């Protein structure tokens, strides 16, 4: 116990106009948080102020981050402000680290009123990189739009924040620390916890760890390669897959969290997970996986680098969902995908007679369906997949789901995927990212594009490229009515759907920290031609997408920054 009560101060401040949270919280360059006076303090106070005082007083909250640069000083500020704002207990990951899925797990386990996650996910770290703050609510999932809008409004009018500047927490020592504050009847408690254990316990109750251990370290075990990309999931991989399930220690690489992710872009993508991609080429490993900075996304590769697209990733899990013991017990309530994700999952849903929901991008939409008991498995094209065990996408859960399928079927990754295509046909899918585009140019282009495609004359138009002809069947700006609570979300992406089911989607991404990212998604289904090259198969639709949008002309870009 600290000697003498600690002083609580009210500090005058001035608002900033740019603290609107995106689908993944507030993300900015590190220097914005470092150089703009009280920038972090303003946003944290706005989060606390968005919670009604009676709910906040004496409550429990969870705090953790992916370990990127500025994580530790941000945790210290949050602790000081939580104490001053009446929070009774903070649960914080050891050294301030905790993966996003684990934070969701801990919020739910301890019935906390919410959690503050310090991450910019797959964005670069270090002093010149990105930093982010995200608020998750009591269900363990990202705050809904009503909450983030309230936080934004508070941030625009904030005049002061409360802080206890003399409070110093020891993030290195596990256990409870208590602090007396002036004018507070009960002491403020900080509990530093093992960030892995609660989450590992949850996974033990979902998967058959004995069967997975046999697959990974038994007599006829497979060889795997795991790349944590110097993100927060490294200790989870070591503890769960190596120590508990028996993978050799040298099968897990880049497992020490680093403030700059070792100079890497912590994105589980063929372009960025180069250590994994290179090590998989020669056929030494049967299974490979890479994880992003905060542990909520993952990519898997089969032998010789066979790539599983995110859309196939979730569709294959859906088709083999009872390989996971958890779903044998709970049954399956529904499947869901984000609107830009390919329709591969829809085909499984139809065949299994399980309800399929198409939502806007953002995990909060999935969480709402889960809370209503309508959804069990979901995924999105940006390498995010998850179940209803928590309210976040979950990279390690997704990898264990795939390993459970391999354990049950005793087939290779490539065999599993190819048999899926033989059964259902194949959705060829790609995404083009045009990053750091001028915001005004991007918005103007999207506005003009919406006017063009929503004109009645656009429907039935035919576009010919080489020997392919595509006729427009439907075009709109995607609007979603939540079946759980009837809330309506408008302007969620421009869609062009052709008579053969092919789709072109245009969106402005909300997960960057600088400029705009224009994303074009192309999805086309083939029943018979299942072994062709994706970019070759989609080239005609890509030509049409660029012609309709005039993207290169409107943005000054000659090509995409990234192709998925």
């Amino acid at each position: 116990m600290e000697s003498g009560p600690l002083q609580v101060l009210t500090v005058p401040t001035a608002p900033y106009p740019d603290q609107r949270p995106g689908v993944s919280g507030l993300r900015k360059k590190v220097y914005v948080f470092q150089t703009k006076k009280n920038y972090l303090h303003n946003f944290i106070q706005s989060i606390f102020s968005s919670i009604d005082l009676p709910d906040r007083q004496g409550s429990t909250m969870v705090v953790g981050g992916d370990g990127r640069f500025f994580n530790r000083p941000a945790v210290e500020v949050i602790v000081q402000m939580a104490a001053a704002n009446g929070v009774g207990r903070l649960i914080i990951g050891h050294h301030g680290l905790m993966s996003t899925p684990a934070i969701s797990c801990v919020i739910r386990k301890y019935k906390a009123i919410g959690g503050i996650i310090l991450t910019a996910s797959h964005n670069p770290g270090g002093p010149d990189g990105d930093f982010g703050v995200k608020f998750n609510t009591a269900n363990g999932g990202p705050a809904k739009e009503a909450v983030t809008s309230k936080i934004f409004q508070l941030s625009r009018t904030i005049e002061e924040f409360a802080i206890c500047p003399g409070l110093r927490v020891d993030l290195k020592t596990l256990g409870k620390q208590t602090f007396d504050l002036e004018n507070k009847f009960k002491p403020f408690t900080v509990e530093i916890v093992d960030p892995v254990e609660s989450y590992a316990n949850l996974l033990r109750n979902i998967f058959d760890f004995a069967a997975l251990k046999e697959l990974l370290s038994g007599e006829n075990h497979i060889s795997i390669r795991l790349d944590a990309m110097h993100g927060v999931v490294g200790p989870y991989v070591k503890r769960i897959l190596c120590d508990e399930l028996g993978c050799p220690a040298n099968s897990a690489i880049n497992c020490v969290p680093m403030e700059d992710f070792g100079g890497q872009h912590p994105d589980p993508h063929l372009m960025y997970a180069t250590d994994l991609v290179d090590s998989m080429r020669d056929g030494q490993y049967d299974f490979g996986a890479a994880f992003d900075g905060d542990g909520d996304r993952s990519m898997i590769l089969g032998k010789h680098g066979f790539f599983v697209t995110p859309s196939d990733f979730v569709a294959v899990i859906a088709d083999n969902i009872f390989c996971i013991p958890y779903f044998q017990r709970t049954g399956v309530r529904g499947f869901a995908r984000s609107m830009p994700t390919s329709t591969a999952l829809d085909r499984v849903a139809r065949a299994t007679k399980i309800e399929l929901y198409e939502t806007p991008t953002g995990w909060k939409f999935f969480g709402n369906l889960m809370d209503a008991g309508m959804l069990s498995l979901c995924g999105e094209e940006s390498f995010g997949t998850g179940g209803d065990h928590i309210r976040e996408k979950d990279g390690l859960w997704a990898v264990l789901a795939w390993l459970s399928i391999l354990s049950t079927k005793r087939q290779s990754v490539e065999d599993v995927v190819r048999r899926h295509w033989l059964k259902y046909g194949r959705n060829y899918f790609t995404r083009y990212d045009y990053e750091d585009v001028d915001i005004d140019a991007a918005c103007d282009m999207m506005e003009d594009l919406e006017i063009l495609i929503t004109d009645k004359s656009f429907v039935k138009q035919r576009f010919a490229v080489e020997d392919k002809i595509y006729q427009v069947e439907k075009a709109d700006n995607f609007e979603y009515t939540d079946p759980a609570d009837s809330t309506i979300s408008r302007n969620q992406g421009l869609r062009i759907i052709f008579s053969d089911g092919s789709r072109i989607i245009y969106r402005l991404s909300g997960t960057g920290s600088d400029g705009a990212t224009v994303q074009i998604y192309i999805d086309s289904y083939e029943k018979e031609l299942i072994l062709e090259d994706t970019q070759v198969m989609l080239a005609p639709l890509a030509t049409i997408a660029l012609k309709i949008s005039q993207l290169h002309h409107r943005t000054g870009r000659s090509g995409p920054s990234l192709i998925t």
Side-chain angles (χ1 to χ4, degrees):
M1 188 79 75
E2 293 282 324
S3 57
L6 296 167
Q7 189 178 20
V8 175
L9 299 180
T10 300
V11 179
T13 190
Y16 291 96
D18 63 346
Q19 294 193 329
R20 180 190 293 276
V23 294
S24 297
L26 179 69
R27 291 186 185 175
K28 300 290 180 183
K29 291 295 183 185
V30 168
Y31 70 79
V32 174
F33 288 95
Q34 287 183 311
T35 61
K36 290 193 173 184
K37 186 178 180 181
N38 300 329
Y39 194 84
L40 175 65
H41 299 72
N42 281 18
F43 191 68
I44 298 302
Q45 183 61 59
S46 299
I47 290 174
F48 288 132
S49 297
S50 73
I51 306 167
D52 291 340
L53 186 59
D55 295 330
R56 197 166 73 226
Q57 291 287 1
S59 65
T60 296
M61 293 188 72
V62 182
V63 178
D66 62 13
R68 67 181 55 235
F69 186 83
F70 199 62
N71 190 87
R72 188 179 296 269
V75 170
E76 291 170 353
V77 167
I78 291 167
V79 172
Q80 294 173 347
M81 294 186 66
N85 277 277
V87 174
R89 176 173 70 151
L90 282 186
I91 299 172
I92 305 177
H94 198 203
H95 299 291
L97 303 180
M98 197 181 297
S99 74
T100 292
I103 290 175
S104 182
C105 165
V106 172
I107 289 171
R108 294 169 66 81
K109 176 180 177 178
Y110 290 97
K111 295 180 170 54
I113 63 164
I116 297 176
I117 305 176
L118 303 172
T119 180
S121 189
H122 54 290
N123 292 13
D128 298 321
D130 295 349
F131 189 75
V133 183
K134 185 171 79 162
F135 178 53
N136 279 26
T137 50
N139 74 339
K144 295 180 184 178
E145 191 170 350
V147 176
T148 57
S149 294
K150 185 177 181 181
I151 292 169
F152 178 52
Q153 292 305 321
L154 287 164
S155 76
R156 296 179 66 188
T157 56
I158 188 171
E159 296 180 348
E160 60 188 25
F161 60 85
I163 192 167
C164 185
L167 196 160
R168 296 286 182 265
V169 67
D170 177 8
L171 297 175
K172 298 177 182 177
T173 305
L174 293 171
K176 290 183 179 180
Q177 303 166 42
T178 56
F179 305 87
D180 277 332
L181 276 60
E182 64 179 9
N183 301 323
K184 302 288 183 182
F185 179 68
K186 291 183 178 179
F188 172 68
T189 302
V190 175
E191 190 172 347
I192 308 299
V193 300
D194 177 342
V196 179
E197 192 52 38
S198 291
Y199 174 74
N201 274 332
L202 182 62
L203 295 184
R204 291 183 193 109
N205 290 318
I206 293 172
F207 299 102
D208 183 344
F209 269 36
L212 290 174
K213 187 168 185 177
E214 180 65 23
L215 175 76
L216 298 173
S217 56
E219 186 176 347
N220 297 309
H221 67 84
I222 64 171
S223 296
I224 76 170
R225 189 74 159 171
L226 304 160
D227 187 352
M229 301 189 79
H230 290 300
V232 74
V233 84
Y236 296 79
V237 168
K238 284 288 191 182
R239 286 264 295 277
I240 296 169
L241 279 149
C242 296
D243 296 350
E244 188 156 355
L245 297 179
C247 291
N250 63 4
S251 66
I253 59 173
N254 300 323
C255 283
V256 177
M258 299 179 71
E259 290 189 334
D260 65 347
F261 304 108
Q264 298 182 85
H265 196 138
D267 190 347
H269 186 284
L270 292 171
M271 178 178 285
Y272 300 119
T274 51
D275 286 351
L276 178 70
V277 171
D278 292 344
S279 66
M280 294 297 294
R281 281 201 182 100
D282 65 4
Q284 178 183 354
Y285 300 103
D286 302 298
F287 180 94
F291 305 88
D292 73 341
D294 66 326
D296 64 354
R297 303 173 196 233
S298 55
M299 172 187 74
I300 67 167
L301 301 175
K303 203 162 192 168
H304 300 295
F306 180 85
F307 173 59
V308 182
T309 70
S311 299
D312 284 336
F313 194 120
V314 66
V316 170
I317 295 176
D319 194 42
N320 297 278
I321 197 161
F322 294 116
C323 293
I324 302 169
Y326 172 85
F327 293 112
Q328 296 172 18
R329 297 192 304 268
T330 66
V332 181
R333 299 178 181 91
F335 297 140
R337 62 168 175 81
S338 63
M339 181 272 287
T341 302
S342 94
T343 58
L345 182 60
D346 306 38
R347 300 177 199 286
V348 178
R350 279 198 296 272
T352 55
K353 295 181 169 56
I354 292 171
E355 192 72 31
L356 185 284
Y357 303 97
E358 181 182 37
T359 75
T361 298
W363 212 259
K364 60 191 175 186
F365 298 104
F366 295 144
N368 212 37
L369 294 172
M370 289 175 182
D371 287 346
M374 302 168 71
L375 178 61
S376 297
L377 172 72
C378 51
E380 56 187 22
E381 49 68 39
S382 56
F383 296 92
T385 307
D388 61 353
H389 61 296
I390 56 173
R391 296 296 182 266
E392 283 281 5
K393 47 188 173 282
D394 191 342
L396 191 50
W397 176 94
V399 165
L400 293 181
W402 260 85
L403 289 173
S404 297
I405 294 169
L406 301 189
S407 171
T408 302
K409 290 187 165 292
R410 289 291 167 175
Q411 297 168 2
S412 71
V413 171
E414 185 170 354
D415 284 344
V416 169
V417 173
R418 287 182 181 246
R419 290 184 189 206
H420 184 87
W421 293 341
L422 283 170
K423 182 178 179 181
Y424 290 104
R426 181 180 178 185
N427 278 79
Y428 288 92
F429 179 84
T430 192
R431 186 185 88 197
Y432 299 128
D433 287 14
Y434 293 79
E435 298 173 320
D436 295 331
V437 172
D438 178 79
I439 292 175
D440 291 338
C443 290
D444 287 347
M445 184 199 78
M446 292 293 285
E447 287 174 10
D448 290 345
L449 184 56
E450 181 174 5
I451 293 169
L452 173 69
I453 70 168
T454 55
D455 188 282
K456 289 181 180 179
S457 65
F458 189 75
V459 175
K460 303 299 183 187
Q461 277 197 33
R462 292 155 66 91
F463 295 88
V465 179
E466 299 170 356
D467 61 340
K468 291 271 193 177
I469 298 175
Y470 298 89
Q471 182 168 320
V472 177
E473 185 172 282
K474 181 179 180 180
D476 63 9
N477 193 333
F478 181 57
E479 180 176 300
Y480 174 69
T481 300
D482 194 310
D485 60 16
S486 299
T487 55
I488 298 173
S489 300
R490 297 182 171 88
N491 303 314
Q492 296 298 315
L494 303 179
R495 299 189 299 178
I496 301 172
I497 303 172
F498 296 96
S499 56
D500 68 346
S502 298
R503 302 183 309 152
I504 296 172
I505 314 291
Y506 303 89
R507 280 187 71 247
L508 290 183
S509 172
T511 60
S513 66
D514 199 18
T517 297
V518 180
Q519 294 175 324
I520 300 178
Y521 310 80
I522 301 173
D523 176 25
S524 184
Y525 174 73
E526 292 283 347
K527 178 61 180 172
E528 306 294 341
L529 298 173
I530 60 172
L531 301 178
E532 306 303 314
D533 179 83
T534 295
Q535 295 304 322
V536 171
M537 291 294 286
L538 296 179
L541 283 166
T543 299
I544 294 168
L546 293 173
K547 179 181 178 181
I548 292 171
S549 64
Q550 299 184 317
L551 187 144
H552 291 169
H553 171 70
R554 297 293 297 266
T555 66
R557 294 298 179 85
S558 59
S561 332
L562 186 66
I563 300 175
T564 300

